Amino acid sequence: MLDEHAGVKGMTRELLPPSCIEGIVWPPAPSPRAATLLAMQFELEQSQWLPPADLRKRQFAQIAVLLRHAMASVPFHRERLAGLDPDRLDEAAWLRLPILERTDVQEHFEALKSSRLPPSHGRTLEYGSSGSSGRPIRVLGSEVTSFFWQVLSLRDHLWHRRDFAARHAAIRTKLERGRQAGWDLFAEVLPTGPMSLLGIHEDIDTQLDWLRAEAPSYLITHPSNLRALAKRSIEREIRLPELRETRTFGEMLRPDVRELCRQAWDVPVTDIYSAEEAGVIALQCPDYPHYHVQAENLLVEVLDPAGIPCRPGETGSIVVTTLHNFAMPLIRYRLRDFAVAGSACPCGRGLPVLERIVGRQRNMLVVPDGRRHWPSFPGELWVEACPAVRQFQLIQHTPERIEARVVVARAATKAEIEALRGMLIERFGYPFLIDFSFVDRIEPGPNCKYEDFVSHVAG
Ligand SMILES: [Zn+2]
């Protein structure tokens, strides 16, 4: 039940912080950390409704402070931004600032560090990216950047009106099977129900049996793992009656996953768009399946190949500026993701909209005639062409050649291989040379993420 009198709209009475003053249980006096978290949540509750122009003005006021800090204490930016006056930055001047590429961060890690992190930002923390596209990347943040990630994770729960008393389950990397007292990073300052944890390396049947035993109300995992769970659940007729919502992060969410979760358990999917280098970037709108950029924490640009901002409906590459990372300011940093720019959301929030995250650069098909797109290969098409197909993965090795790795229950006949070839060429929209490799199993990539299409040509 929602408590209209609670400090933050949508927050249930159960989420009120524990009191830090002995003998005072009501109204509770939150600890300084909980108070800061709640105060920021209150700010965000107001700022989300600001008109886009007002949000942008506030973002640029913050960016001016960030740029001054970067020019004074980060050698890389001091050199790159020389001559810039952060207080006289207009939209045109902003678009002329150079893009920080992933390779810049890999090659100039030392020069990108701030020599003077303000003491009130706390300790310096390191965030790594798995390097699923080759070379890993290291980025520094601070206790302040981590605080904002906690704030946004709480905002996600509030937006989606989750029941904080319920059991949550997480299946992801770097986890061992177990339980913890609270849901998230903020759980130590705000009480929630319990959280059940499982490593994503466990096989799908083990994961399903575990979910049945734990009976969580919410489940968070990677989209490809959720897809496999939903499919297996349908096959085994497992219902998970306690489950109310599934949540995804860390990979592109394909539309068929939403449909599969409806079919398997009759629950919605709520996605979070994040990157290891920048944290939470966009959250799904509470009322629509598109995403709201978390404009209070980052400036997000969707740019066409010429560096011009995309109009609603156009697809472009995502460039982020982290507003509060003073340990290693990421100024116009290009993530290797592409999204469709959205138009204003009917929900009334002024936070910019990303219509869809279309994919990562490494999952983009490059056609020799210059076209680029993100192909999808529904499992049904494979099984229709060859009923013995159990798993598949496509790898574009050169502009003309694609390897199809296939796990089959029995040897495929010549006719079936030709049917698969025909299906793939139709989906690709180009007569690629397709080499079939029949393998015993397809190992997931780093971070246990499974990708059905990977291009070594997309860069
Ligand atoms: Zn909205």
Side-chain angles (χ1 to χ4, degrees):
M1 194 184 75
L2 294 184
D3 183 351
E4 294 303 322
H5 303 291
V8 176
K9 198 174 160 190
M11 189 176 281
T12 57
R13 193 178 282 282
E14 291 77 17
L15 192 72
L16 288 177
S19 187
C20 71
I21 300 176
E22 190 184 338
I24 308 300
V25 292
W26 186 85
S31 67
R33 274 197 62 197
T36 315
L37 191 66
L38 291 171
M40 187 58 78
Q41 206 57 240
F42 182 77
E43 290 289 333
L44 263 54
E45 162 58 30
Q46 318 292 312
S47 58
Q48 63 184 334
W49 307 105
L50 287 173
D54 287 8
L55 277 167
R56 202 140 173 105
K57 226 168 96 187
R58 285 163 166 80
Q59 285 184 310
F60 273 93
Q62 176 61 35
I63 284 174
V65 180
L66 178 78
L67 288 179
R68 272 199 299 274
H69 166 77
M71 291 166 77
S73 76
V74 180
F76 185 90
H77 294 308
R78 186 182 301 136
E79 197 178 306
R80 239 188 186 200
L81 305 175
L84 181 83
D85 181 353
D87 294 312
R88 303 171 75 95
L89 197 64
D90 58 14
E91 298 278 347
W94 177 254
L95 287 176
R96 284 196 298 272
L97 294 188
I99 301 283
L100 182 66
E101 300 288 352
R102 186 182 168 94
T103 46
D104 292 327
V105 178
Q106 285 164 328
E107 280 160 25
H108 304 285
F109 178 78
E110 290 301 323
L112 277 160
K113 281 185 191 170
S114 167
S115 58
R116 222 169 348 105
L117 180 67
S120 52
H121 284 234
R123 284 173 302 134
T124 299
L125 306 169
E126 185 169 321
Y127 307 106
S129 159
S130 54
S132 52
S133 49
R135 216 169 134 193
I137 189 162
R138 287 160 69 209
V139 168
L140 298 181
S142 69
E143 287 183 72
V144 169
T145 54
S146 137
F147 166 73
F148 273 95
W149 298 2
Q150 293 171 29
V151 171
L152 296 178
S153 123
L154 179 56
R155 174 188 250 179
D156 185 59
H157 295 315
L158 293 169
W159 273 11
H160 296 279
R161 301 173 189 94
R162 295 191 186 111
D163 172 3
F164 286 96
R167 179 178 291 276
H168 209 309
I171 303 178
R172 52 180 175 78
T173 53
K174 300 173 199 158
L175 277 188
E176 287 307 320
R177 183 186 287 240
R179 286 182 181 160
Q180 67 182 34
W183 288 5
D184 275 309
L185 296 165
F186 59 77
E188 59 187 273
V189 288
L190 295 172
T192 68
M195 185 135 194
S196 305
L197 310 170
L198 191 69
I200 203 164
H201 54 269
E202 304 257 8
D203 75 54
I204 289 296
D205 280 316
T206 310
Q207 290 186 27
L208 262 184
D209 294 336
W210 176 82
L211 282 171
R212 248 202 318 201
E214 295 293 313
S217 299
Y218 305 105
L219 165 67
I220 187 161
T221 189
H222 295 305
S224 55
N225 192 59
L226 185 61
R227 187 172 194 263
L229 278 170
K231 288 185 95 160
R232 190 72 185 125
S233 217
I234 294 167
E235 281 166 16
R236 289 178 56 191
E237 296 181 7
I238 292 176
R239 293 298 300 175
L240 305 180
E242 303 294 326
L243 197 62
R244 298 184 214 173
E245 183 191 354
T246 51
R247 308 175 57 211
T248 49
F249 75 105
E251 295 167 8
M252 196 197 81
L253 175 70
R254 292 182 187 279
D256 69 324
V257 179
R258 293 190 192 274
E259 185 45 46
L260 277 170
C261 289
R262 279 267 167 237
Q263 225 180 307
W265 312 301
D266 196 23
V267 297
V269 180
T270 307
D271 192 37
I272 295 174
Y273 172 45
S274 62
E276 287 177 75
E277 305 97 301
V280 177
I281 298 168
L283 297 175
Q284 196 179 307
C285 174
D287 306 318
Y288 296 91
H290 53 225
Y291 302 77
H292 280 293
V293 167
Q294 300 302 291
E296 297 94 340
N297 193 38
L298 322 94
L299 179 82
V300 172
E301 300 171 75
V302 183
L303 300 178
D304 75 6
I308 296 174
C310 289
R311 286 186 300 249
E314 292 177 346
T315 303
S317 76
I318 299 266
V319 169
V320 300
T321 299
T322 52
L323 303 184
H324 309 115
N325 184 352
F326 280 47
M328 183 178 276
L330 296 178
I331 297 165
R332 304 199 83 207
Y333 173 62
R334 193 197 304 276
L335 293 164
R336 295 188 168 190
D337 296 337
F338 291 79
V340 179
S343 39
C345 182
C347 77
R349 287 178 179 80
L351 301 172
V353 172
L354 298 177
E355 199 53 52
R356 251 170 346 110
I357 315 300
V358 288
R360 308 243 140 141
Q361 190 157 324
R362 59 190 258 102
N363 305 121
M364 179 168 69
L365 174 74
V366 181
V367 185
D369 62 17
R371 282 178 295 137
R372 292 171 168 239
H373 64 96
W374 286 267
S376 80
F377 304 92
E380 305 79 72
L381 293 180
W382 291 77
V383 174
E384 209 176 283
C386 171
V389 170
R390 290 294 170 266
Q391 209 188 352
F392 59 87
Q393 186 176 47
L394 297 153
I395 297 170
Q396 180 174 28
H397 288 288
T398 71
E400 293 281 350
R401 277 203 119 80
I402 289 175
E403 179 192 3
R405 293 184 183 163
V406 193
V407 179
V408 280
R410 54 154 174 83
T413 66
K414 254 194 172 138
E416 286 171 336
I417 294 175
E418 284 322 301
L420 286 172
R421 192 187 307 279
M423 178 276 286
L424 289 173
I425 286 174
E426 199 187 319
R427 298 292 291 183
F428 285 129
Y430 184 85
F432 285 102
L433 299 168
I434 296 172
D435 307 314
F436 284 91
S437 326
F438 293 97
V439 294
D440 292 338
R441 72 173 73 85
I442 293 168
E443 296 294 345
N447 272 356
C448 295
K449 290 178 188 173
Y450 166 75
E451 296 166 301
D452 60 11
F453 178 81
V454 176
S455 173
H456 294 321
V457 180

